[in-house]
């Protein structure tokens, strides 16, 4: 009798799942989203195959990187009448409501990754041949200059199964292409323990955070969108949090709600309503830097973006710097190598690449007098992702998607690592009953930081960030996840995922402000060299996602430097 019941249950689940997925033919969906051939890239994305601007032999001010720090610096310098060259190694991606500019998480291809030939987290190509044991299988892909650079650590073991790799945005707009637009302000008590006293919290909160907010158009999710079908998982998440004794609080993001409404009305191809964000939003639903700081800088006539150009080495040259650069085509093939010089150099290549280039220059004596803090105090903001899955019927695929962005968050300050967990989405074409949190943890202990070291055999620097540096943050997130699961009759983990993973999406530090630089980003001991990105942050951002702090600090620093005459 028991066997018959189990058999009946299994057959019923199979029938229900087959029915749910019948309206979502994965092979058909893959043909819509996936690109496998060179001609398809050229037909869909002709803009990427136009000739990129060619760098001159010399520029007065060069900015390496077009993310938050680089784009802020470019705009404010241009407004001050300065000629600026922004050097960006990635593609310059177009925006369209009716073209699939970016790849879907479930169907990764070359657009997803920077110069890779196999997919990896956060791509989610599920093998659905056995619906009772869904697995993620990494797929072969065409090498391309995609939007996500993966820095492999832990011997290449992928994040979803206990490894640790960094996720870095690559393309014009940098990290804004791949982040989910959460605006989180650091908490005062932790901020004042982490940042130099000269960086006044009230000044940041009252002047520079609002300045960035005005440019990036942050706001809370409107009620009509939150109450729509694709955001049901967000409402469910809020209820689950309340059952566990937490109070969800609304958070701002910089999604364009008019475009999200267009998706809901079928006036745009779906993007946010499918949970897409990790590999970009094709229709402009996310107000990334391509829609604000960058066009504003170019509109001055003083800023030029030189994309598909990667700086490989930096050397002191007279009173300025000499840069060795390679130029790529859209597929990531080198088509040119050249050298250029500049009088002033702003590093804004992101925490990992800025620090790596500075550590290389220091270790090979290409830049002299770099101090002992270069390459130190690196952290990942204790960025974790947790997974819980419903039991029984709730654990199996069914129709319905999970939309982005994250509208709410909870916090637990009682833990050894105080943790802030955001309401998160699974970018999928069907529901699998999974609830997720993306968290950041507060850590004012600088002993829990990684560092860069130079490897002479590789001729490059590498990041050292051992598991024990992040173990306490993992345990704090596990306590929250277990509490949520217990209160909602869920099991921890999800198809293809451990219960808690390190996402590697919040790399900060390595050129810490007030240590490797002065209080405004001037590199200690080196004239005409500035840091203006996440590497300035002290390895932790006081319980907040780092993008707002990076942009606001850049606003503050570049304003001071211009007024002080550094770029006269």
């Amino acid at each position: 009798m028991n066997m018959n019941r189990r058999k009946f249950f299994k057959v019923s689940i199979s029938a229900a799942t087959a029915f749910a997925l019948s309206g979502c033919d994965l092979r058909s969906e893959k043909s819509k989203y996936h690109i496998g051939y060179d001609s398809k890239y050229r037909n869909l994305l002709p803009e990427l195959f136009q000739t990129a601007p060619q760098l001159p032999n010399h520029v007065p001010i060069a900015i390496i990187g077009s993310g938050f720090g680089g784009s802020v610096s470019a705009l404010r310098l241009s407004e001050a009448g300065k000629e600026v060259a922004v050097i960006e190694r990635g593609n310059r991606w177009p925006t369209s409501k009716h073209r699939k500019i970016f790849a879907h998480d479930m169907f990764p291809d070359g657009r997803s990754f920077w110069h890779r030939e196999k997919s990896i987290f956060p791509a989610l190509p599920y093998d659905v041949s056995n619906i009772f044991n869904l697995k993620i299988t990494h797929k072969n892909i065409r090498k391309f200059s995609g939007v996500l650079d993966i820095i492999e650590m832990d011997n290449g073991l992928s994040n979803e199964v206990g490894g640790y790799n960094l996720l870095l945005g690559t393309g014009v707009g940098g990290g804004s292409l791949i982040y989910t637009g959460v605006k989180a302000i650091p908490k005062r008590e932790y901020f004042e323990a982490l940042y130099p006293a000269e960086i006044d919290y009230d000044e940041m909160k009252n002047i520079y955070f609002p300045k960035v907010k005005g440019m990036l158009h942050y706001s809370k999710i409107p009620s009509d969108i939150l109450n729509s079908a694709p955001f049901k998982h967000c409402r469910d998440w809020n209820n689950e949090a309340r059952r566990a004794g937490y109070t969800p609080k609304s958070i701002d993001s910089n999604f364009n709600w008019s475009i999200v409404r267009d998706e809901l009305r079928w006036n745009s191809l779906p993007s946010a309503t499918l949970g897409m964000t990790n590999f970009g939003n094709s229709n402009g639903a996310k107000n990334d830097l391509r829609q604000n700081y960058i066009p504003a800088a170019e509109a001055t006539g003083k800023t030029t973006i030189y994309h598909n150009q990667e700086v490989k080495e930096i050397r002191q040259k007279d009173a300025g710097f000499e840069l060795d650069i390679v130029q790529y085509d859209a597929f990531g093939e080198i088509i040119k190598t050249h050298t250029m010089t500049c009088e002033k150099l702003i590093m804004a290549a992101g925490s990992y690449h800025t620090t790596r280039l500075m550590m290389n220059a220091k270790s090979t004596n290409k830049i002299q007098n770099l101090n002992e803090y270069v390459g130190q105090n690196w952290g990942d903001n204790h960025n974790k992702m947790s997974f819980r899955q419903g039991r029984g019927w709730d654990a199996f695929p069914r129709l319905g998607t999970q939309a982005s962005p994250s509208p709410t968050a909870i916090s637990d300050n009682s833990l050894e690592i105080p943790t802030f967990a955001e309401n998160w989405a699974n970018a999928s074409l069907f529901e699998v009953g999974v609830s997720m949190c993306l968290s950041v943890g507060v850590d004012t202990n600088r002993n829990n930081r990684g560092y860069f070291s130079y490897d002479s055999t590789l001729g490059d620097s590498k990041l050292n960030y051992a598991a024990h540096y992040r173990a306490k943050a993992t345990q704090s997130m596990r306590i929250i996840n277990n509490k949520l699961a217990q209160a909602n009759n869920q099991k921890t983990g999800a198809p293809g995922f451990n219960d808690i993973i390190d996402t590697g999406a919040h790399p900060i530090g390595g050129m810490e402000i007030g240590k490797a630089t002065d209080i405004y980003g001037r590199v200690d001991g080196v004239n005409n060299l500035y840091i203006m990105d996440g590497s300035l942050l002290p390895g932790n951002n006081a319980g907040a996602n780092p993008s707002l702090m990076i942009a606001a600090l850049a606003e503050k620093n570049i304003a001071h430097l211009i007024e002080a005459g550094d770029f006269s």
Side-chain angles (χ1 to χ4, degrees), residues 259-326:
I259 295 178
V260 177
R261 289 190 182 98
D262 283 344
E263 292 185 36
L264 293 169
R265 296 165 182 158
W266 298 100
N267 292 327
S268 170
L269 287 172
S271 181
T273 51
L274 289 181
M276 293 175 68
T277 184
N278 294 325
F279 298 115
N281 290 90
S282 302
N283 58 9
K286 178 167 52 184
N287 279 311
D288 58 49
L289 294 167
R290 298 173 302 161
Q291 301 177 69
N292 36 75
Y293 276 101
I294 289 172
E298 291 179 309
T300 66
K302 296 292 185 179
T303 287
T304 304
I305 309 289
Y306 297 94
H307 59 282
N308 296 126
Q309 312 266 356
E310 182 174 17
V311 175
K312 291 292 190 178
E313 185 175 277
I314 302 169
R315 298 179 294 275
Q316 281 179 314
K317 179 75 170 179
D318 301 325
F321 301 91
E322 189 173 61
L323 313 178
D324 288 344
I325 299 171
V326 298

Side-chain angles (χ1 to χ4, degrees), residues 475-517:
Q475 182 57 25
S476 288
M477 187 65 246
R478 181 165 285 129
I479 290 170
I480 293 174
N481 199 48
N482 289 347
K483 186 176 179 180
L484 289 164
Q486 184 176 6
N488 292 282
N489 190 31
Q490 296 166 315
K491 58 185 178 181
T492 58
F497 288 93
N498 291 347
D499 64 331
I500 310 294
I501 68 169
D502 296 294
T503 70
H506 286 188
I508 49 178
M511 293 292 294
E512 187 174 355
I513 191 166
K515 292 187 175 181
T517 75

